[in-house]
Amino acid sequence: MDKLRITGGRRLSGSLRVSGAKNAALPILAGTLLTDEPVRLANLPHLHDVTTMLELLGHLGAEVLVDECMAVEIRAREMQTLRAPYDLVRTMRASFVVLGPLLARFGRAEVSLPGGCAIGARPVDQHLKGFEALGARIDMADGYVIAEAADGLRGADFRFDLVTVGGTENLMMGAALARGTTVLRNAACEPEIVDLGNFLNAMGARVRGHGTPEIVIDGVERLHGCAWRVMPDRVEAGTYLIAAAATGGRIRLTDVHPGDLTAVLDKLAESGAEIATGPDWIELDMHGRRPRAVDIDTAPYPGFPTDMQAQYLALNAIADGTSHVTETIFENRFMHVQELNRLGANIELASVSHAVVHGVPRLKAAPVMATDLRASFSLVVAGLVADGTTVIDRIYHIDRGYETIEEKLQTLGADVERISG
Ligand code: UD1
């Protein structure tokens, strides 16, 4: 298993192009199942999760072509099977979003109950309730969800009991080919939902209100092929900004939408960073200063993203002062606290959802272990500022979400190396 060796103490400095967004790419890839025509996708990040989704599409019967510019063309002409197997869905919860497209286009889908990051129970009850509202019959057998709508899905008015990103995406895709109009209430407003809605519209769907809590979808009979460029990854962008701030550094990110990162940029400014933005770039300069402690409460978009909580916790760990970090989206998303404390941080878990961070001036290198995707990057942030050499084990978690992490960090001047084996 690969490890990452980081010797701390260097200020990050330089310019970085942000990759395409994993969390937009995955539902968009699933959305290619909605048409029998070719769909061409650009700016897909080279990540394990994307490969897993491509493998799943191939398993279902789609033809997947990768060209010399790394653009991917997918054509889901005929399916070999409508069953998404445990082996593929287990490793990545996001693959559950193939259910909507398969059900809408073919009237049936069998999808294994998902696995994914070990951050809480993460049920799919809202997805299933939504498809029932759209007229599907849902059964469970041997760990699989069996969904059927022999005469197709029909539009309905559905309200989510809680805000779910994957649930909203799954239902949007199902409703795109349903008979009549669907209204999704209490829908997620994340920028990735907007990207998916715009992508569906480029295929001929009639989606409006995406990016607000009320999405209206007029079902159409068929969708056609299109070319689409996946939006920039706001989580990757925010992560590198936080890492740069922790080291007192200065970076410029390009190919990014600053408007998608408002909550994070506001917090970084509170922490003491000087920030400038343009239409597709962000500059952060910490002027070598120690960050100030700031409180964080995660919330659905436009609130502070849960996917950047762990990284910010690491920043707060070396900040001047005490801060409170509250996680409201997932239970059990503080697994990194124990590892950060091994590096000399002073973080108390006041409850399963609330950490009190007493900032310390220095961290000290130690061997640590990655636990889940985003939590792992908090260890990278800590390693970048710790005295000595930190070795992070199990970095396959990081590789699920961060493209060529060691190369990107090296570009910014970090002393980082991947140890294979
Ligand atoms: C997506 C993101 C993930 C991010 C999360 C929250 C992708 C591929 N992943 O995950 O990076 O951390 O949004 O911003 O886009 N829930 C239910 N029932 C359901 C569905 C969800 O109770 O049917 C709960 C979950 O357990 C969780 C909360 O709702 O506590 C939010 O989950 P959801 O928004 O669905 O997250 P994902 O789509 O899995």
Side-chain angles (χ1 to χ4, degrees), residues 237-249:
T239 299
Y240 281 100
L241 291 171
I242 294 167
T247 64

Side-chain angles (χ1 to χ4, degrees), residues 65-219:
L65 289 172
V66 182
D67 76 8
E68 60 288 352
C69 310
M70 290 311 289
V72 174
E73 187 174 292
I74 296 155
R75 181 159 200 189
R77 214 182 321 220
E78 281 166 27
M79 296 290 97
Q80 275 159 11
T81 172
L82 298 176
R83 188 172 169 94
Y86 174 69
D87 275 355
L88 289 169
V89 180
R90 167 180 68 87
T91 55
M92 190 181 72
R93 176 185 165 81
S95 44
F96 198 70
V97 295
V98 297
L99 194 135
L102 288 178
L103 184 59
R105 183 162 153 222
F106 302 101
R108 184 179 171 88
E110 299 179 13
V111 182
S112 169
L113 285 166
C117 287
I119 49 173
R122 304 184 85 175
V124 287
D125 58 306
Q126 296 300 309
H127 302 232
L128 303 183
K129 262 176 94 170
F131 286 118
E132 276 176 337
L134 264 61
R137 193 186 135 160
I138 307 282
D139 289 305
M140 302 282 185
D142 309 323
Y144 280 75
V145 172
I146 315 226
E148 210 163 335
D151 298 327
L153 294 169
R154 47 167 208 274
D157 195 310
F158 179 71
R159 184 180 178 81
F160 291 100
D161 296 331
L162 49 81
V163 177
T164 155
V165 175
T168 302
E169 292 164 345
N170 222 347
L171 268 289
M172 276 166 82
M173 291 192 277
L177 285 181
R179 250 176 300 123
T181 297
T182 298
V183 182
L184 300 176
R185 298 179 197 276
N186 198 24
C189 302
E190 268 64 5
E192 292 76 14
I193 303 269
V194 176
D195 209 38
L196 175 66
N198 291 342
F199 162 72
L200 292 172
N201 286 344
M203 293 172 87
R206 294 178 60 198
V207 181
R208 56 189 193 275
H210 41 310
T212 79
E214 190 176 306
I215 303 177
V216 181
I217 303 144
D218 295 322

Side-chain angles (χ1 to χ4, degrees), residues 150-340:
D151 298 327
L153 294 169
R154 47 167 208 274
D157 195 310
F158 179 71
R159 184 180 178 81
F160 291 100
D161 296 331
L162 49 81
V163 177
T164 155
V165 175
T168 302
E169 292 164 345
N170 222 347
L171 268 289
M172 276 166 82
M173 291 192 277
L177 285 181
R179 250 176 300 123
T181 297
T182 298
V183 182
L184 300 176
R185 298 179 197 276
N186 198 24
C189 302
E190 268 64 5
E192 292 76 14
I193 303 269
V194 176
D195 209 38
L196 175 66
N198 291 342
F199 162 72
L200 292 172
N201 286 344
M203 293 172 87
R206 294 178 60 198
V207 181
R208 56 189 193 275
H210 41 310
T212 79
E214 190 176 306
I215 303 177
V216 181
I217 303 144
D218 295 322
V220 295
E221 223 161 272
R222 60 185 305 275
L223 294 173
H224 53 72
C226 72
W228 192 253
R229 183 178 166 82
V230 173
M231 65 177 278
D233 197 318
R234 65 191 169 105
V235 182
E236 190 199 37
T239 299
Y240 281 100
L241 291 171
I242 294 167
T247 64
R250 173 183 181 179
I251 63 167
R252 177 182 171 92
L253 300 179
T254 57
D255 244 340
V256 64
H257 295 163
D260 294 345
L261 279 145
T262 305
V264 180
L265 296 181
D266 287 352
K267 285 294 170 186
L268 283 165
E270 247 186 85
S271 288
E274 189 182 302
I275 291 168
T277 60
D280 61 355
W281 56 266
I282 302 175
E283 276 175 6
L284 173 142
D285 195 344
M286 202 63 186
H287 296 287
R289 288 190 291 253
R290 183 179 176 195
R292 286 191 292 271
V294 300
D295 293 341
I296 301 282
D297 285 4
T298 64
Y301 191 84
F304 190 94
T306 173
D307 285 351
M308 282 181 250
Q309 176 259 104
Q311 301 88 315
Y312 222 104
L313 195 86
L315 179 75
N316 273 339
I318 52 142
D320 185 12
T322 295
S323 56
H324 295 261
V325 176
T326 308
E327 171 61 51
T328 70
I329 309 290
F330 292 112
E331 70 270 30
N332 198 20
R333 206 173 195 183
F334 277 124
M335 286 178 295
H336 42 292
V337 164
Q338 210 182 344
E339 298 300 290
L340 288 172

